[in-house]
Amino acid sequence: MPKAASARMGIGRGGFRKALRSVLLAKHATVYLEVLVREELDWSCAYCGISGERERLQLDHLWPESQAGCAVMGNVVPCCPTCNSDRRDVPWKDFLTTSPRVRKGRSTEEIKSQIQRISAYMEAHGTDTPPSWESLLTTDELQLLEDFDLLLL
């Protein structure tokens, strides 16, 4: 049986698909996103609350790229590397209410307040409903994704 094209490229099927989706979503990204997020939200982890002065923070997608989530205001929050890694594909509200790291650093009231704050932030930027590939990509780009899925089988 011949090797899949992705195997010859030295990148796994999932990695290649992820890279293609990132490229297609990049045209929707907000310029200077980190600066704008810093201005709108305090520079501390949206989940555990650790300050950006104590730890280097990253931007975490509330709607992940795998679900057509773009790097835009309202869809990214500051996040420490530990929470970003621990969250993986857990919905952000679930992560806030179930993560031992979050529960150790925040009271139940603080967690409820943070959920309201992030929800308001998402609503203010129109990202409170799940994005869709069809609403973001052209017909040709959608066909390209479908063709790559067939190629990578």
Side-chain angles (χ1 to χ4, degrees), residues 38-126:
R38 280 179 186 244
E39 288 175 3
E40 187 157 340
L41 302 171
D42 59 336
W43 198 239
S44 60
C45 178
Y47 306 113
C48 71
I50 194 167
S51 169
E53 294 175 7
R54 289 190 52 211
E55 186 152 356
R56 184 169 172 82
L57 300 180
Q58 308 167 341
L59 294 178
D60 181 44
H61 290 77
L62 298 168
W63 298 111
E65 285 185 331
S66 63
Q67 297 173 15
C70 294
V72 296
M73 286 298 290
N75 190 48
V76 296
V77 293
C79 182
C80 72
T82 303
C83 285
N84 202 358
S85 175
D86 289 351
R87 182 175 160 234
R88 299 178 189 244
D89 61 353
V90 176
W92 68 269
K93 284 182 189 177
D94 293 346
F95 184 75
L96 265 170
T97 57
T98 62
S99 166
R101 179 177 171 84
V102 173
R103 299 195 65 75
K104 180 180 176 188
R106 293 185 185 264
S107 70
T108 302
E109 286 306 312
E110 287 174 321
I111 291 170
K112 287 179 184 176
S113 175
Q114 188 66 354
I115 289 172
Q116 290 174 343
R117 183 172 182 231
I118 293 172
S119 295
Y121 165 70
M122 292 175 78
E123 189 175 336
H125 292 283

Side-chain angles (χ1 to χ4, degrees), residues 1-7 11-19 149 151-153:
M1 178 173 205
K3 286 186 175 181
S6 60
I11 184 170
R13 289 182 176 127
F16 193 74
R17 184 178 291 114
K18 181 178 179 181
D149 283 344
L151 177 69
L152 296 175
L153 290 177

Side-chain angles (χ1 to χ4, degrees), residues 19-52:
L20 176 60
R21 286 178 175 168
S22 290
V23 167
L24 293 174
L25 289 175
K27 69 182 179 182
H28 300 282
T30 301
V31 179
Y32 304 115
L33 184 59
E34 185 176 311
V35 172
L36 295 171
V37 170
R38 280 179 186 244
E39 288 175 3
E40 187 157 340
L41 302 171
D42 59 336
W43 198 239
S44 60
C45 178
Y47 306 113
C48 71
I50 194 167
S51 169

